[in-house]
Amino acid sequence: MIIHGIYFGKDEIYNKIRSEGGVWNDSKERPIFCLIESAEHAGLYWAIPLGNWNHRDDKAKERIRKYINFPDTDLRSCFYHLGKTDTDTIFFISDAIPITDKYIEREYLNRYSKQQQIIKNKKLISELERKLFRILSDENANPNKYRQHITDIKNKLIEELDS
């Protein structure tokens, strides 16, 4: 995987989340953004699911804006982020997942250039990292707090990498 690249995950990663007791109800093929490689283990990455802002109705947009506008001291302000890829994009940070190359289906291609979409905006990346680190810190203090069971999935992927 290329850091800051956008990909599509294989169904197997979402099945793994469900088999470990996590919740992954998304029936759409949703791209994921590979933000960083884990400091815990080489080959383990943190990915953030993405959504198209323009596909949301007014009620959904208002809900997301509400979370984003909580004070920075409120963890809920880190659940989402709005940014630009090849469209107006929602970053579902509280749905972040650990992932390895094994679970990548293919690259996400920019709709205009037809090349892999790589995010280069340093300000966007910095803000996504800040929010992800807060979510992961909360997860470390409260294992499997988030519906996708981040800790269990991370541990299973590390076992796979070590075998």
Side-chain angles (χ1 to χ4, degrees):
M1 263 181 285
I2 298 172
I3 300 295
H4 305 156
I6 300 178
Y7 298 89
F8 288 100
K10 292 180 180 176
D11 286 340
E12 290 93 319
I13 190 66
Y14 308 116
N15 291 335
K16 184 176 281 296
I17 291 168
R18 288 186 284 269
S19 72
E20 291 300 319
V23 175
W24 195 271
N25 293 331
D26 199 345
S27 60
K28 299 177 203 127
E29 184 181 47
R30 185 177 301 284
I32 55 174
F33 171 56
C34 177
L35 181 58
I36 58 169
E37 187 170 13
S38 172
E40 278 184 74
H41 199 290
L44 183 71
Y45 299 87
W46 290 104
I48 299 170
L50 306 177
N52 187 319
W53 177 250
N54 299 318
H55 292 171
R56 300 298 182 271
D57 63 23
D58 289 340
K59 186 177 178 181
K61 287 180 177 180
E62 183 56 37
R63 180 180 173 277
I64 291 167
R65 281 191 195 106
K66 178 182 122 182
Y67 277 89
I68 289 172
N69 289 322
F70 279 119
D72 283 347
T73 55
D74 189 323
L75 181 64
R76 294 174 297 175
S77 70
C78 297
F79 287 5
Y80 304 100
H81 192 81
L82 299 177
K84 196 83 159 148
T85 56
D86 59 349
T87 188
D88 295 328
T89 301
I90 308 162
F91 293 81
F92 296 96
I93 302 168
S94 61
D95 286 338
I97 58 169
I99 196 163
T100 64
D101 288 328
K102 173 182 175 180
Y103 295 100
I104 295 298
E105 179 78 33
R106 68 185 188 283
E107 298 170 346
Y108 172 89
L109 302 181
N110 178 292
R111 69 171 76 182
Y112 306 109
S113 71
K114 304 302 181 204
Q115 301 294 315
Q116 183 184 12
Q117 179 75 41
I118 309 282
I119 295 178
K120 297 178 181 172
N121 181 323
K122 288 180 179 15
K123 185 175 178 184
L124 173 60
I125 291 166
S126 176
E127 188 62 7
L128 292 170
E129 286 177 352
R130 181 187 74 79
K131 289 182 175 185
L132 177 64
F133 290 150
R134 288 204 50 210
I135 295 292
L136 294 179
S137 176
D138 185 44
E139 175 69 17
N140 284 337
N142 305 285
N144 297 320
K145 173 181 177 178
Y146 294 88
R147 64 185 178 162
Q148 67 274 33
H149 283 208
I150 296 170
T151 300
D152 285 349
I153 301 306
K154 177 187 75 171
N155 291 338
K156 287 291 182 186
L157 294 177
I158 289 172
E159 283 177 25
E160 288 180 9
L161 288 168
D162 285 342
S163 63

